[in-house]
Every structure is written in C-alpha cells, then in structure tokens.
Amino acid sequence: MSDENNRPVVISARGLKRHYRRGSETVKALDGVDLDIREGEMVSVLGPSGSGKTTLINLLSCLDAPTEGTLTIAGKSVAGLGEDELVDVRRGTLGFVFQKFHLLPTLTVAENVELPLVFLRRPVDRAATTAVLARVGLEGRSGHLPRELSGGQMQRVAVARALIAKPKVLIADEPTGNLDKANGEQIFDLFRSLVRDEGLTVIVTTHNLQLGYLSDRVVTLEDGRVVKEEKGQALAAAGAAH
Ligand SMILES: Nc1ncnc2c1ncn2[C@@H]1O[C@H](COP(=O)(O)OP(=O)(O)O)[C@@H](O)[C@H]1O
Ligand SMILES: [Mg+2]
C-alpha cells in the first residue's frame, strides 16, 4: 500500500468560486471547487479550453481572490490576506512555470534562473544555479542566451528558475502548451522525477489527456466544476510495485 492519503495537505480549497461580470452576464469561471493537494504528489488539472483551469491556478497561486469559498495554503488561510501577506505565502511556498516561458532575452540562462533570488534579496550562489541547471538536464548552458536554446530547453530553464528558491509546491499552467510531444513528455517526466526524488508537490494544467495521465492524480474540470477525480499512471505504477 502506498501512503499517499496520510501525507499532510498542503493546499486545500472548499467551495471555491470565481465569478466574473461581463456586462449584465455572470461568467462562472470557477463554480464551487473542493480540492486537496497533498505534499509530494503530482496532480494534473485537465479540462477543455474555458473549463476554468487558469482561473483555478491563479487562485491557488494567490494571484487572484475567490468570489466565494476558502483556500488554505501551507496551513494558512489566504482569504482576506493583504497584498504583502499574500506575497509572503507565495514566496515561501510556491514556484511557477508558465506556458510562454517568460525568460528575459538579454539575460543568460544562469541569470534568468537567479532572478527570483535577486527579487527576494537572497544571496546568489552560482554553484547552486549550476546544480539546479544540471537537475533539469542543462549542464553547460549557464552562459547561453535564451534565443540559443530550443523551446523545450527554454521551458527547462523556466523550471530551474521556479526551483531556485526551493518552493514546496510547483504550479505550472499549460507548461507544455508551446512544446511538441517529445518536449512536452520531457517536462512531465522532469516533474515526476522531482516529485519522486525530491518530494516536491506539483500541480500542472494541460488539455492534453496523454500527458495529464502521467501524474499521480488527475482532476478534470468542466464548466468551472470538478467532474472527475482519478488516479494517474504514476500512482497506479507505484501501487503495482508495492
Ligand atoms: N478576466 C476574465 N473576465 C471574464 N471572463 C473570464 C476572465 N478570465 C476567464 N474568463 C472566463 O472564464 C472561463 C474559464 O476560463 P479559464 O480559466 O481561462 O479556462 P481554461 O484555462 O481552462 O481555458 C472562460 O469562460 C473564460 O472566458
Ligand atoms: Mg488556461
């Protein structure tokens, strides 16, 4: 038996809603989501375009506030927190990867990876940067510029940048949306190995079913609601091995 249900919950949402007003109409982008993310699991959020994935991710990332419902991150209720306190929750706990990489074109690979440390006013340690770049399979690329890399490599730089401040949870919204199949699989494999070997927690959205099911757990959204929760291949494989 695997112990996945005994691990502490790191993110917990109850009745989470995000409604937008569009003229006289209300768009129920998220309409009552309950979700527990446990430490050391990789969870895919699947669903068609417009189902609410990005809305959910923005709430879990504390970039946006819910219309209704509660959200607890690393034991702290984030409802009603001010901007400064939200920033504290974000930087102590969360790392982010985006669809479009968002690397700064004039900075080297190493400088891009170190940027969060600069913003956090934490010391930069080039040896640590080199180590995290090696972890994502980019040894020897520190001095390159982003334009000298492939899309898959750029996204791995972005993963290294998300890891440099040692987050508990990595949140990735459609990280494979701009990648081909092989590079997309590489990103999911990298996430899986970070979860397995380093105990990281990963929440990743995708509309690609094949990739989504590589996770431990798969949550499917439709019209702003969770319509399905399933085991993914990683957990099924771990269960079979026990
Ligand atoms: N800022 C916004 N204002 C109004 N409607 C929005 C806004 N952001 C998202 N929506 C709507 O909310 C729904 C969910 O969008 P989104 O979370 O981006 O879905 P997904 O990421 O699954 O494609 C869509 O109908 C979208 O048009
Ligand atoms: Mg989206």
Side-chain angles (χ1 to χ4, degrees):
M1 271 300 289
S2 109
D3 64 348
E4 67 264 8
N5 289 322
N6 301 326
R7 294 183 188 159
V9 172
V10 60
I11 296 185
S12 179
R14 289 292 176 277
L16 209 59
K17 294 187 183 179
R18 180 62 167 104
H19 293 178
Y20 295 106
R21 292 214 69 86
R22 207 188 269 153
S24 60
E25 202 193 337
T26 300
V27 180
K28 299 181 174 178
L30 218 60
D31 201 26
V33 165
D34 296 338
L35 186 64
D36 283 330
I37 308 287
R38 290 178 183 277
E39 238 174 71
E41 69 170 347
M42 176 166 170
V43 177
S44 291
V45 177
L46 278 176
S49 177
S51 58
K53 302 183 297 296
T54 295
T55 303
L56 175 62
I57 286 293
N58 288 346
L59 293 176
L60 301 184
S61 306
C62 308
L63 289 173
D64 187 20
T67 309
E68 239 182 78
T70 62
L71 179 61
T72 307
I73 297 179
K76 203 162 186 174
S77 170
V78 300
L81 289 189
E83 208 39 61
D84 288 352
E85 292 165 303
L86 286 178
V87 168
D88 278 347
V89 172
R90 279 165 60 82
R91 69 180 171 201
T93 312
L94 309 175
F96 304 96
V97 176
F98 310 95
Q99 177 171 351
K100 292 181 179 166
F101 322 142
H102 295 303
L103 302 181
L104 294 186
T106 58
L107 298 187
T108 64
V109 163
E111 289 164 346
N112 268 285
V113 170
E114 290 162 351
L115 211 49
L117 298 177
V118 175
F119 284 125
L120 292 168
R121 299 172 194 279
R122 290 200 205 155
V124 167
D125 169 5
R126 191 48 63 91
T129 307
T130 308
V132 78
L133 280 167
R135 185 66 188 82
V136 301
L138 290 174
E139 47 279 289
R141 302 284 174 170
S142 295
H144 287 230
L145 290 171
R147 65 165 175 272
E148 298 167 333
L149 304 179
S150 72
Q153 290 171 329
M154 283 194 248
Q155 192 59 304
R156 282 184 281 138
V157 174
V159 174
R161 180 185 56 193
L163 295 175
I164 194 77
K166 303 194 186 312
K168 272 174 127 78
V169 183
L170 186 72
I171 298 182
D173 193 12
E174 299 270 1
T176 63
N178 283 15
L179 302 179
D180 62 20
K181 184 165 180 282
N183 279 299
E185 280 171 4
Q186 220 173 32
I187 292 294
F188 267 73
D189 285 345
L190 174 60
F191 286 170
R192 275 183 67 167
S193 76
L194 290 165
V195 167
R196 188 184 56 225
D197 302 337
E198 276 148 61
L200 191 71
T201 305
V202 173
I203 306 168
V204 53
T205 73
T206 175
H207 56 266
N208 182 319
L209 294 181
Q210 250 184 351
L211 290 178
Y213 279 92
L214 294 174
S215 288
D216 295 310
R217 203 148 61 84
V218 183
V219 173
T220 302
L221 289 184
E222 244 172 63
D223 296 331
R225 292 171 172 270
V226 175
V227 293
K228 219 169 17 174
E229 282 201 55
E230 302 161 279
K231 277 187 181 188
Q233 285 167 19
L235 198 56
H242 282 277

